[in-house]
Amino acid sequence: MKTKHTPGPWQVSKTKEGIGILAKYGNAYTVVIQERQLGNTGLKFKMELADAKLIASAPENLKEHFNCLELLRSIRPLIDPAVNPVMFAHITEQVNRSEKVIKKATI
C-alpha cells in the first residue's frame, strides 16, 4: 500500500502546552500535529485526548483496513453467487465501502 502521509506509528504526547501527535523516525519523534491547548479539566480534556488518540491511530487503522480489503477481495472469487447470493452481495458491498473509505483517507 503506497500512501503519502507521514508513516506511523504515531503517538499522543501530552505537555503543558497541549497535545501533540508525534511520528517516530528511527529513534527520534517529530510533530505531525500540534493541537491547541487542552481544556483545564473534565469533559473537554477527555474529548480532546480521545480525538488525539483517534488521529494518532490513523496510519495503523488505514493499514489494517487495507489488509482486510485485500482479504475480502481474495475471498470474493471463492463464493459462488448462485449458491450463496447473500454472502456474495455482502462481501461485494463491504469491498465497495472499504474502497471508498481508503480513497477518502488517501491522496
Side-chain angles (χ1 to χ4, degrees):
M1 175 179 76
K2 290 186 179 183
T3 60
K4 296 185 180 184
H5 68 270
T6 304
W10 292 2
Q11 71 178 37
V12 174
S13 175
K14 294 190 299 183
T15 67
K16 287 187 266 184
E17 293 80 28
I19 293 178
I21 298 175
L22 311 176
K24 188 171 185 179
Y25 286 105
N27 292 329
Y29 286 88
T30 186
V31 175
V32 178
I33 300 170
Q34 180 65 46
E35 277 289 319
R36 66 186 180 278
Q37 185 147 353
L38 291 171
N40 292 334
T41 58
L43 183 59
K44 185 175 181 184
F45 172 81
K46 288 179 184 177
M47 189 181 310
E48 288 174 347
L49 183 58
D51 290 347
K53 287 183 173 188
L54 180 62
I55 293 166
S57 71
E60 183 178 3
N61 288 336
L62 180 61
K63 179 183 174 189
E64 293 306 320
H65 202 86
F66 184 80
N67 289 342
C68 289
L69 175 60
E70 289 301 306
L71 177 64
L72 288 172
R73 285 178 176 159
S74 68
I75 291 172
R76 186 170 49 178
L78 304 175
I79 307 296
D80 184 347
V83 174
N84 198 335
V86 173
M87 169 111 25
F88 186 82
H90 181 67
I91 289 175
T92 299
E93 180 181 325
Q94 186 60 53
V95 165
N96 293 336
R97 285 195 314 254
S98 293
E99 289 171 342
K100 286 179 185 176
V101 167
I102 291 169
K103 185 176 180 181
K104 183 178 179 181
T106 56
I107 294 176

